[in-house]
Amino acid sequence: MTVVLIVVIVLLLAVLSAGTVTVVRRNQIDRGPEPEPELRRGRAPVRPAPPSPPDVEPAPPPDDAGPPRGSAGPAGPEPDTKAPGEREHAAPTAQRPRLSDRLGRARNLLGSSLAAIRGRARADDATFDELEEALILADVGLPLTGRLLDGLRSRVRSGEIADSPTALLDALKADVVELFAGEDRDLAYAAESPSVWLFVGVNGVGKTTTIGKLAARESQAGRSVVVAAGDTFRAAAGDQLAMWADRSGAGIVRGADGADPSSVVFDAVQHAAARGADLVLADTAGRLHTKVNLMDELRKVRRVADRPPGHVSEVLLVLDATTGQNGLAQAREFAGAVDVTGVVLTKLDGTAKGGIVCAIRSELGLPIKLVGLGEGADDLVAFDPEEFAEALFS
């Protein structure tokens, strides 16, 4: 009986509790949602303060509007933005290397001798002996040295040149410049494209590097260039030339290792004609000038390159200035084999034998068209006789 009474009491309590919750919920619904505290107190809602003027970006002006009055105007285009005309002026032209700055070894060799000559009271026989020794050491060559000094002696005796060491050296510089008078040092282009420039010379003189530098220069001048990797017997030559072609934007035609160089040059000319290119720069294998069969093969390359639509307008003999008189022997053989039109003298900055320039001109009559004064693409420059003489004998 007691258990039944307890159960009844629990049920009654549960019913009363549920009724109370229902009443509370109905009262909440009738009153509506609880107002916000600020509204209940009669205050306006808090709004964020407006941003300060420096943080507000001004609206962009119209395209044709100038800078606001009182402003300094725009600072210029962003680093990655190309302004009009930037293509022409983005990369400033590199300063041309000066022979006086690059012929340090040759100047040092002659410097002590020239200083001793200038210290003499007059241009006597001892003065001429010292000058003869200096010219021979500089690789001017014995025949040309004799002719230069004989002319100077005669003019000193006749009074045409003052009897002083300074006047003697000034006259020597003038005579050296006169050696190169009348030569055509400009690189030639055929009347019809493509022109072909053929580069010949023994291994190691810098033919491939010379071609790469010229490809960059001609491309910058606005000409369309194709290079022919005709040195198929040296594996690295094609890769080296491909690197230069990639840098300069020139096209390249390569053959398999050991392929016929003539076929590579022929394909390059055909490719250049098909794409309307202006110029073909053709590399050739380094040949010993004493090997008759190799020189015959070079003649074949010359003939093939000159077949239409190709027009050989330059055959440039590349010589290493550090080889001295041996370079003169090379020049004789190549000139007789392929009708050399000019000489490119490389590594002139690294030799004390700068006088070889005079010997080549005097003995062979070949114009020195370009000289290499360093490793950079801008270090291959046109030869200037006056600058050369001034650099060598001042």
Side-chain angles (χ1 to χ4, degrees):
M1 186 64 180
T2 302
V3 174
V4 174
L5 184 59
I6 291 173
V7 172
V8 172
I9 293 172
V10 170
L11 291 175
L12 289 173
L13 291 175
V15 171
L16 291 174
S17 176
T20 303
V21 172
T22 302
V23 172
V24 170
R25 295 177 98 177
R26 286 179 178 173
N27 289 338
Q28 289 179 347
I29 293 173
D30 294 340
R31 288 199 303 265
E34 186 81 3
E36 291 291 332
E38 290 82 2
L39 293 177
R40 188 171 58 242
R41 291 192 297 268
R43 296 181 181 177
V46 179
R47 297 180 181 177
S52 58
D55 295 333
V56 179
E57 290 195 10
D63 292 340
D64 57 349
R69 187 172 300 177
S71 70
E78 294 294 326
D80 294 334
T81 302
K82 291 186 178 180
E86 187 179 1
R87 182 179 298 273
E88 289 79 5
H89 305 287
T93 303
Q95 187 175 5
R96 179 186 184 275
R98 297 175 56 191
L99 284 170
S100 58
D101 296 333
R102 301 296 179 90
L103 294 183
R105 292 190 179 184
R107 287 166 62 89
N108 291 339
L109 177 67
L110 290 173
S112 57
S113 298
L114 296 179
I117 291 171
R118 289 191 180 93
R120 292 184 172 275
R122 53 188 296 269
D124 53 14
D125 289 340
T127 303
F128 278 95
D129 289 343
E130 286 191 35
L131 189 54
E132 180 181 25
E133 181 181 357
L135 293 176
I136 292 174
L137 285 176
D139 242 346
V140 172
L142 190 58
L144 178 57
T145 297
R147 289 198 298 272
L148 288 172
L149 295 185
D150 287 346
L152 291 173
R153 277 196 188 95
S154 176
R155 292 157 66 190
V156 168
R157 288 170 183 167
S158 67
E160 183 181 346
I161 300 175
D163 187 12
S164 72
T166 300
L168 179 65
L169 292 177
D170 288 343
L172 175 61
K173 284 193 291 186
D175 288 348
V176 168
V177 173
E178 186 64 24
L179 285 173
F180 303 94
E183 68 178 6
D184 184 6
R185 291 185 294 274
D186 292 332
L187 293 169
Y189 302 88
E192 297 180 8
S193 297
S195 299
V196 180
W197 294 354
L198 199 63
F199 295 79
V200 299
V202 302
N203 280 329
V205 296
K207 294 191 306 298
T208 305
T209 300
T210 297
I211 291 172
K213 292 178 179 180
L214 274 176
R217 194 178 81 173
E218 294 298 311
S219 295
Q220 290 174 0
R223 298 183 181 91
S224 177
V225 179
V226 173
V227 296
D231 189 354
T232 59
F233 302 108
R234 184 168 68 92
D239 295 336
Q240 184 181 1
L241 204 56
M243 178 189 68
W244 278 105
D246 184 62
R247 288 180 183 176
S248 63
I252 182 170
V253 174
R254 302 177 61 174
D257 291 345
D260 181 8
S262 299
S263 66
V264 176
V265 174
F266 177 81
D267 290 343
V269 171
Q270 297 297 322
H271 176 72
R275 63 176 287 191
D278 303 307
L279 183 62
V280 176
L281 306 180
D283 196 7
T284 61
R287 288 162 169 76
L288 294 176
H289 57 285
T290 56
K291 300 294 184 181
V292 176
N293 59 327
L294 293 179
M295 297 302 287
D296 287 342
E297 184 181 335
L298 193 57
R299 292 186 185 96
K300 177 185 174 183
V301 173
R302 169 75 165 79
R303 291 194 302 270
V304 170
D306 208 21
R307 291 176 184 170
H311 307 278
V312 176
S313 57
E314 289 285 2
V315 180
L316 298 172
L317 173 61
V318 184
L319 295 176
D320 182 346
T322 63
T323 61
Q325 289 296 311
N326 188 44
L328 187 59
Q330 295 173 26
R332 288 193 184 98
E333 296 297 329
F334 279 99
V338 288
D339 298 327
V340 171
T341 59
V343 173
V344 179
L345 199 60
T346 63
K347 309 175 189 178
L348 191 59
D349 59 316
T351 182
K353 302 177 179 181
I356 188 60
V357 176
C358 304
I360 292 172
R361 174 59 182 165
S362 175
E363 297 297 320
L364 302 176
L366 292 174
I368 311 295
K369 297 206 170 187
L370 299 166
V371 291
L373 302 176
E375 296 297 327
D378 297 316
D379 292 330
L380 184 67
V381 300
F383 176 67
D384 185 333
E386 293 184 3
E387 187 181 2
F388 170 76
E390 185 69 25
L392 204 59
F393 297 109
S394 294

